[in-house]
Amino acid sequence: FMGSNDGMSFWEVLHELENDAPLKDLKRSIFKHRMLKILRKGTVEERNAILKNICKEQIYLNQELMKAWHVAMQVHGNNEAYRIFFQYCIESQEPVLSELANTLSALGGGTPEEVLRSYRPNPRAQLLSSTYSWMFVSQPPACSVLILNVILRTWGVVCMHIMEALRSDLEALELTEEDLGFFSMHDLVGSGDQKMDYTWMVKGLKKVYKEGLENG
C-alpha cells in the first residue's frame, strides 16, 4: 500500500480512499439496507429491537477495538507519533462508551456489563472485530490508521442514515436525541456537539502517515 502511494500527499491519499469505487458502492448500499428500511417504516417494537441489538454488538466491537489499540501501543509505542495517536484513540473511547451505555439503557437494553455476561454476539456482525488486532500489529501504522479512517467514516454514514430514519418519529418511539447520543455523536453530518473529535483524529492520522513515509 505505502509503496503504491509514494509521492502522494496525505490529503491526496484520503481523497483517493473516499473516491474508491467499491467503497462508494458500499456507502450507497447502506441506504438500502434491510435494517434501515425497518427503522424507517417498522413498528416501534421492531425499531427498538434493531437499535438495541446494534448497541449490544457495539459493546463487543468496542471491547475488541480497545484491546487492539493497547496491543498497538505495546508494538509501536517506541515511536512518539504512533504512541501519541494510539493513546488518543484509547482515551477518546471514554465518551464513546459512556454514550453507548446511555443509549443502551434508554432502549431498555440493560448495562454493558449485563450484555457481556448474557448476550451472544452475532458472528457476522463481529467479523470486523477479528481484524483489529491483526491490522494494528501486522500492518505499518500509516496503513492501519488509513483503514481505521475508512471504518470510522463508513460507520459515520451508517449513523447518519440511522438518525435520518428516526429524527421525525422520536416522539412515537418515546426517545430523544440525547437518548440516541451514541448514534448522533458519530453522525458526520448532524453531530453538532463534536463529542467525536474527528478534527483531532484527522490531524493524528496525518502525523502517523507522515511518520510512516519518513521511517518506512
Side-chain angles (χ1 to χ4, degrees):
F1 176 88
M2 296 301 295
S4 66
N5 289 283
D6 286 347
M8 293 179 66
S9 72
F10 170 74
W11 299 111
E12 288 171 332
V13 172
L14 279 194
H15 179 74
E16 185 168 288
L17 286 172
E18 286 290 327
N19 287 281
D20 177 70
L23 182 59
K24 291 178 79 171
D25 288 343
L26 172 63
K27 289 180 179 179
R28 281 193 290 266
S29 72
I30 291 170
F31 182 78
K32 301 176 183 179
H33 195 280
R34 180 187 65 86
M35 173 194 75
L36 281 168
K37 291 179 180 179
I38 296 175
L39 288 179
R40 294 185 191 105
K41 301 295 184 180
T43 66
V44 171
E45 292 76 16
E46 288 172 334
R47 286 182 283 180
N48 185 280
I50 284 178
L51 293 171
K52 197 184 304 182
N53 283 339
I54 292 174
C55 287
K56 290 180 178 181
E57 296 293 341
Q58 284 295 318
I59 295 291
Y60 282 90
L61 283 166
N62 276 275
Q63 183 183 60
E64 293 305 311
L65 186 56
M66 286 290 282
K67 290 179 183 177
W69 280 334
H70 280 286
V71 172
M73 282 283 287
Q74 294 175 356
V75 175
H76 304 296
N78 289 334
N79 182 293
E80 183 179 10
Y82 300 160
R83 183 177 68 254
I84 290 173
F85 178 77
F86 287 120
Q87 184 62 46
Y88 163 76
C89 289
I90 292 169
E91 294 173 355
S92 71
Q93 284 300 287
E94 183 177 348
V96 173
L97 294 174
S98 175
E99 288 292 346
L100 178 53
N102 291 340
T103 298
L104 181 67
S105 176
L107 293 166
T111 66
E113 293 76 18
E114 290 169 341
V115 169
L116 292 171
R117 283 198 304 268
S118 60
Y119 178 77
R120 292 187 64 182
N122 185 328
R124 291 182 62 189
Q126 296 298 316
L127 281 174
L128 182 62
S129 68
S130 65
T131 69
Y132 283 143
S133 292
W134 169 85
M135 178 174 74
F136 287 121
V137 172
S138 68
Q139 300 302 300
C143 290
S144 62
V145 296
L146 289 174
I147 298 170
L148 175 63
N149 178 67
V150 170
I151 293 171
L152 289 176
R153 296 285 290 180
T154 305
W155 174 239
V157 172
V158 173
C159 290
M160 176 187 73
H161 288 312
I162 288 174
M163 293 306 297
E164 284 179 347
L166 300 175
R167 275 198 178 98
S168 64
D169 213 17
L170 289 176
E171 187 174 348
L173 294 168
E174 297 184 350
L175 295 169
T176 66
E177 289 246 8
E178 289 73 22
D179 291 333
L180 299 175
F182 174 68
F183 299 110
S184 63
M185 76 184 299
H186 291 94
D187 173 1
L188 297 180
V189 175
S191 180
D193 57 17
Q194 292 300 304
K195 289 178 182 176
M196 182 71 180
D197 190 355
Y198 191 72
T199 301
W200 200 103
M201 175 69 76
V202 172
K203 290 179 179 177
L205 291 169
K206 183 179 179 181
K207 289 179 180 178
V208 171
Y209 181 79
K210 180 180 178 182
E211 185 74 13
L213 289 183
E214 292 176 351
N215 296 288

